[in-house]
Every structure is written in C-alpha cells, then in structure tokens.
Amino acid sequence: LVLVSLTFLFFTLGSLCLTFVLSFRKFKKIRNAKTTPLKEKCQILIAELLFDENLSPESAEMEVYFLNNSHRKQLFLEELMSIHKSLQGNIATTIEQYYMLKGYDKTSIKKLKSRKTHEILQGLNELVEMKNNDSIQILDNLLQQTSNYSLKNYLMIAIIKLDPENGLRQLFSFDN
C-alpha cells in the first residue's frame, strides 16, 4: 500500500512538472512569435529615424504605438540600444538625442528605483550607453544609499564612464 502510494505520488509530481515545462515552453514560443514582428517594425522605424528627414505617417503612428505601451516601449528601447552599440559618430549622436527627446532616459531612471538588481543594472547600462550625463547626481545618490557591494562597484564605474574627471575625484572622496 505504501509502495503504491509513493508510486502514485511520484507519477503525479512528474506529470505536474512535465505539464509546467511544456506550458512554459509554449508560452515562450507564443511570446517570441509576437515579439519578432515587433522587432522588425522597430528596426524599420529606427532606420527611418536615422536616415530620413521626416517620418512617414505610418512610421509616426508606429512611433506612437511603441511609446504608448510599456512592453513595446521597452522592446523599442532594447532595439535602439542594440543598434547604438554598433554605431558611432553623427548617427550614434542622433540616437542619443532621440533617446533623450522621447523620454527613454526617464524609463531608464525609473529602473534605477527598482528593488531588482538586474533591472537597476539594465537602467544603469542604458544611461551609460546613451551618455546621459544628467543622471550622474541620481547615480551618486543611489551609490550613497545602497549597501550592495556589487551594485556600488557598477555605480562607480558608471559615474566614471559618464564623467571621468569628476567621477574619479568622487571615487576617491567616497573612500574616505
């Protein structure tokens, strides 16, 4: 009787785990199927933003579409960051200006207020990548408040990258 009960329990737990894994994979597949066309639209919009004088009416609508939803806004921001990493010069500067103009810097700063370390680091990387020097004071405040040693290191590196001269001075004064 005990052996039958244990066998039944084992198969029940195994079935639940298998169901969970399969449903998670299905969810991931559905999410990727929805995300891929959006990424393609992001890339088209970014290309038009960078290389055309004015946005077409369809692209202007697409821009509003991405800005009005936090998930789509994050997706667009990720694509913007991805493209920015491989560019330099005037085009990179154009992306940085667009980032500030459309308020993506506020999205990145909002991530700094999260309790999740990975979100804080994501926002931190976005601010550094887009050379947002206006955020140095916010980063300094976060540096003073946090007790997480790893996060403090990332914050110090970010401050130094954004403002090398004052960042190093601030680093030395922080140690004392």
Side-chain angles (χ1 to χ4, degrees), residues 36-170:
T36 302
L38 285 176
K39 284 185 177 184
E40 291 171 2
K41 290 178 182 179
C42 285
Q43 292 167 356
I44 292 169
L45 177 60
I46 291 170
E48 194 169 329
L49 283 167
L50 294 176
F51 302 113
D52 291 345
E53 289 290 320
N54 296 316
L55 287 179
S56 66
E58 299 86 28
S59 294
E61 284 180 32
M62 185 63 62
E63 182 182 35
V64 170
Y65 175 76
F66 281 110
L67 287 171
N68 286 338
N69 177 287
S70 62
H71 173 69
R72 291 188 299 254
K73 188 175 188 177
Q74 180 59 37
L75 184 70
F76 186 80
L77 179 57
E78 288 170 7
E79 287 300 308
L80 200 63
M81 299 295 294
S82 172
I83 290 172
H84 182 267
K85 285 181 183 178
S86 60
L87 299 172
Q88 50 184 294
N90 290 340
I91 295 175
T93 304
T94 302
I95 291 176
E96 293 163 10
Q97 291 169 347
Y98 181 80
Y99 170 83
M100 298 291 284
L101 180 70
K102 294 299 178 179
Y104 285 104
D105 58 328
K106 292 176 183 67
T107 303
S108 299
I109 290 170
K110 189 184 294 184
K111 290 177 187 176
L112 296 177
K113 297 174 183 167
S114 172
R115 295 200 181 275
K116 299 176 184 173
T117 305
H118 73 278
E119 281 185 24
I120 295 171
L121 292 176
Q122 185 179 21
L124 188 62
N125 287 333
E126 291 166 1
L127 291 167
V128 170
E129 179 72 29
M130 292 298 179
K131 300 178 180 110
N132 186 333
N133 291 336
D134 298 339
S135 64
I136 292 174
Q137 187 61 43
I138 296 167
L139 297 179
D140 185 46
N141 290 343
L142 186 58
L143 180 64
Q144 303 298 327
Q145 293 171 0
T146 189
S147 59
N148 183 333
Y149 182 73
S150 297
L151 185 56
K152 280 187 178 197
N153 286 335
Y154 283 112
L155 286 163
M156 285 184 220
I157 291 168
I159 291 170
I160 291 169
K161 282 184 177 180
L162 289 173
D163 187 5
E165 186 178 313
N166 291 328
L168 285 172
R169 190 175 310 125
Q170 191 171 6

Side-chain angles (χ1 to χ4, degrees), residues 11-29:
F11 282 122
T12 304
L13 290 174
S15 298
L16 286 172
C17 288
L18 182 63
T19 304
F20 175 75
V21 168
L22 291 176
S23 61
F24 182 74
R25 288 184 69 180
K26 185 175 183 176
F27 170 75
K28 191 174 179 182
K29 193 175 191 178

